[in-house]
Amino acid sequence: MGRTRTFDRDAVLFAAANAFRQRGFRDVSIAELEKATGLVSGSIYNAFGDKAGLFRAALHHYVHGFVKQRLDAFAGESATLEDLEGLILSTLEPPLSDGFGCLVTNSIVEFGREEGLASADIADTLVMTETAIGDVLARELGPATPEAATLHLMTLYHGVLTLSRSRVPTAAMAAMVRAEFARLKALRDGAREKNRN
């Protein structure tokens, strides 16, 4: 009887997520996944069922690990507009500045509204992002902040992640983000000044 081989599941899912982030689900081959993860195809199939199973596990790991950690760090309970600005600007820095974007954003583009392979984790990410951004805006601009302001920043966030895969200059995207947050900070500071008088 052969012995069961063990592997570091987190490391494998991280490597697989990176391979899917770079090539997309449809375009990455099993051979590329073997090379990225260090697993042979038999181990991939035994552990995850198939390529789709590995993708689901890698996307889930990415969303509930990497994305959630970023949202907690930049848009947690005491986050300010400055922190939220840092969240979006950080997408223009490593590891997301490598020209391959974000696995979630790329999956939104690849799968669209299609129900199935990526839809649950895409939905989780959108809810987490909307909640985090909305909470910061409500704290900083007041509870009556329109929902459109949250959607505007979600669009900005995912737009920058999408454009990071293009030839749009990073400096131009950073300037646009800073300009938007300068506007929001002026609104916040104006409201605070009004409340003091």
Side-chain angles (χ1 to χ4, degrees):
M1 178 180 218
R3 66 183 175 89
T4 303
R5 294 182 187 228
T6 60
F7 59 87
D8 181 336
R9 186 175 175 86
D10 287 339
V12 164
L13 293 176
F14 176 83
N18 198 42
F20 287 120
R21 185 173 70 90
Q22 292 178 20
R23 304 266 298 140
F25 171 73
R26 291 181 181 103
D27 290 340
V28 74
S29 69
I30 288 293
E32 289 168 319
L33 290 169
E34 286 179 314
K35 184 176 179 183
T37 64
L39 296 178
V40 297
S41 61
S43 294
I44 290 172
Y45 289 109
N46 285 336
F48 301 102
D50 56 12
K51 179 176 142 181
L54 177 57
F55 177 80
R56 277 190 208 95
L59 180 60
H60 188 80
H61 185 264
Y62 184 89
V63 168
H64 296 280
F66 181 71
V67 173
K68 185 176 183 322
Q69 286 173 1
R70 285 176 46 74
L71 290 173
D72 289 347
F74 287 101
E77 292 180 10
S78 61
T80 63
L81 286 175
E82 288 78 7
D83 297 318
L84 204 51
E85 180 180 18
L87 171 69
I88 299 175
L89 288 173
S90 72
T91 64
L92 300 172
E93 300 169 358
L96 292 171
S97 64
D98 62 3
F100 297 110
C102 163
L103 180 57
V104 175
T105 304
N106 297 348
S107 296
I108 291 169
V109 172
E110 183 172 6
F111 295 101
R113 295 178 178 207
E114 186 177 307
E115 200 55 45
L117 191 58
S119 55
D121 283 307
I122 288 172
D124 285 352
T125 302
L126 294 176
V127 168
M128 284 191 301
T129 306
E130 179 179 18
T131 301
I133 290 172
D135 288 351
V136 173
L137 290 178
R139 270 195 310 278
E140 292 285 276
L141 302 177
T145 303
E147 287 181 24
T150 301
L151 182 57
H152 179 80
L153 287 186
M154 285 182 63
T155 303
L156 179 64
Y157 178 59
H158 285 285
V160 168
L161 284 165
T162 302
L163 289 176
S164 71
R165 293 192 65 137
S166 73
R167 295 179 191 254
V168 173
T170 299
M173 288 189 283
M176 183 259 315
V177 170
R178 287 188 183 99
E180 176 56 21
F181 277 90
R183 184 186 73 77
L184 291 171
K185 290 178 215 175
L187 286 173
R188 175 194 64 192
D189 297 345
R192 287 178 179 172
E193 183 63 31
K194 186 178 175 181
N195 288 338
R196 277 197 288 267
N197 293 329

